[in-house]
Amino acid sequence: MIVVVGGSSFIGVYTALAFASAGFEVTATGRNPRFDSFYKSQGIPYISFDLSNPADLGKLPTEGVEGVALLAALLPANSTSDLNETDNAADYIRVNAVGTANLLEYCRLAGAKLITTASYADVQCSWSADEEIREEWPRNFKFTGDHAAYVISKNAANDLVEYYNEQHGMSNVVFRLPPVYGVGPHGSLLVNGEKRKSGIEIFIENAKASKPITVYGDESVVRDIVYVKDVASAFVDAMRSDRAKGLYNIGSGCPSSLGEQARAIAEVFSPSDSAVPVLNDPAKQNGLTAYRFSIEKAVRDFGYDPRYADFKSLMMDWRKEEERGVFTDLFSS
């Protein structure tokens, strides 16, 4: 059995379904009761579970647990704290670090493997357009901004993963993820507690409305974006692998520029055969730094093979899933 902790999260839903499609028995957990009927329709049990509440560990199954996919977390994108007024660093530690520690002990007692995630911002100050991010890089992150406490909490959590691997001979895994795209709750996000419409949503909305897409700043900035279905497949492959252990980059292996991404969205989502124009306003900065992932280690150790590496193929499948409506309805407020 695979227990997906955070089954009501964006990546968690896709991951639970990927495990089920691969023939695993799955139990999903989450805090949102709306997901109970969805999982019932998929034949998957759903448990009300709060990662920050140690007492909820007693709700989890204790027999036949092969692995745990941990996708519950407190993220900057859903944190309401304005750092000019208050600080919620303790909440990040309580949910992300202490919650992971509790689940690691649960996995040790159950004889299960844990797979969780890391923030790619743990090496943010080393990002480069020329050199691929590799797993052996030392941490180099910012101690300011709304991501700092989050990164610190995830670093602590992932140090505990390594501790359990070394101290207790476990084979737990950490995935370092870039931005993960797919049909889900991407319409808006919180930045330092302030709600803002996401860039990807603005691009898609403009294309659908036959309006030009404007790319601010340097449109040649290259970033690695990964599709949620490829991430979900990586969870399945790493769980099956006897070799998978420690930190892995899970990217597309095919980074694309901001301009290329905008043009792909224009081609896929424009309502007519003629794509909306993509404009560039270099005077307005986009605040982005170039980065690219090496996925060589994941390919070697558990055969990671992203099917949607090309950004246009990613967006084409996104559109198909939108039209199918399952995930759109599930994540609608």
Side-chain angles (χ1 to χ4, degrees):
M1 178 193 300
I2 304 298
V3 179
V4 178
V5 176
S8 57
S9 70
F10 165 51
I11 303 175
V13 171
Y14 285 87
T15 300
L17 295 180
F19 274 116
S21 295
F24 288 88
E25 180 184 354
V26 178
T27 294
T29 82
R31 295 190 304 166
N32 191 332
R34 286 200 307 112
F35 284 73
D36 183 59
S37 58
F38 169 76
Y39 279 114
K40 280 183 179 176
S41 72
Q42 303 296 317
I44 296 174
Y46 181 70
I47 299 170
S48 175
F49 180 86
D50 186 342
L51 181 62
S52 67
N53 182 5
D56 276 6
L57 289 168
K59 299 178 180 180
L60 300 182
T62 56
E63 299 293 332
V65 180
E66 179 180 351
V68 172
L70 172 54
L71 289 156
L74 177 60
L75 302 168
N78 55 32
S79 169
T80 58
S81 288
D82 178 354
L83 296 181
N84 296 311
E85 304 293 336
T86 186
D87 201 304
N88 64 336
D91 293 333
Y92 282 111
I93 296 297
R94 178 173 54 84
V95 176
N96 298 341
V98 177
T100 298
N102 290 334
L103 275 178
L104 281 164
E105 183 62 5
Y106 164 79
C107 287
R108 184 184 72 84
L109 296 173
K113 174 190 287 190
L114 179 80
I115 304 180
T116 186
T117 62
S119 170
Y120 70 137
D122 65 345
V123 290
Q124 184 175 6
C125 296
S126 299
W127 289 352
S128 165
D130 303 317
E131 188 176 5
E132 290 183 323
I133 296 171
R134 304 190 72 86
E135 288 86 353
E136 63 268 22
W137 280 15
R139 288 174 181 152
N140 190 8
F141 59 94
K142 295 181 179 180
F143 282 89
T144 58
D146 69 336
H147 274 64
Y150 167 69
V151 173
I152 291 167
S153 71
K154 292 297 284 185
N155 287 347
N158 298 328
D159 285 345
L160 287 165
V161 170
E162 186 60 25
Y163 165 72
Y164 268 78
N165 283 352
E166 296 296 324
Q167 179 67 26
H168 299 294
M170 298 177 71
S171 297
N172 303 306
V173 171
V174 176
F175 287 164
R176 179 192 279 139
L177 302 176
V180 180
Y181 281 4
V183 177
H186 296 295
S188 62
L189 68 162
L190 296 176
V191 178
N192 201 27
E194 179 184 347
K195 189 174 183 179
R196 298 182 186 176
K197 186 171 287 190
S198 67
I200 184 73
E201 182 68 14
I202 292 171
F203 282 7
I204 291 175
E205 281 185 358
N206 281 13
K208 289 178 176 178
S210 299
K211 296 179 180 178
I213 296 173
T214 301
V215 179
Y216 295 147
D218 182 2
E219 70 166 20
S220 69
V221 172
V222 170
R223 301 186 303 155
D224 202 334
I225 304 295
V226 66
Y227 193 43
V228 65
K229 290 184 180 180
D230 286 331
V231 174
S233 294
F235 270 89
V236 175
D237 293 338
M239 192 67 75
R240 282 175 164 163
S241 171
D242 293 331
R243 189 172 181 179
K245 179 179 179 180
L247 177 65
Y248 294 91
N249 293 331
I250 302 297
S252 68
C254 184
S256 55
S257 71
L258 193 58
E260 289 169 339
Q261 292 169 25
R263 286 186 282 276
I265 291 170
E267 290 177 28
V268 172
F269 285 97
S270 295
S272 65
D273 292 336
S274 178
V276 300
V278 175
L279 311 176
N280 182 220
D281 184 352
K284 292 185 179 179
Q285 296 305 306
N286 56 41
L288 299 177
T289 303
Y291 60 86
R292 57 180 71 229
F293 273 27
S294 167
I295 61 171
E296 179 183 344
K297 184 182 176 186
V299 172
R300 181 194 70 209
D301 282 5
F302 54 89
Y304 176 55
D305 183 21
R307 293 176 55 203
Y308 302 93
D310 175 73
F311 191 79
K312 185 175 179 180
S313 69
L314 183 164
M315 298 314 302
M316 290 174 67
D317 196 73
W318 178 319
R319 180 171 177 173
K320 288 179 183 177
E321 287 296 353
E322 271 197 356
E323 292 170 349
R324 195 164 72 96
V326 174
F327 297 108
T328 306
D329 295 342
L330 187 61
F331 288 107
S332 63
S333 55

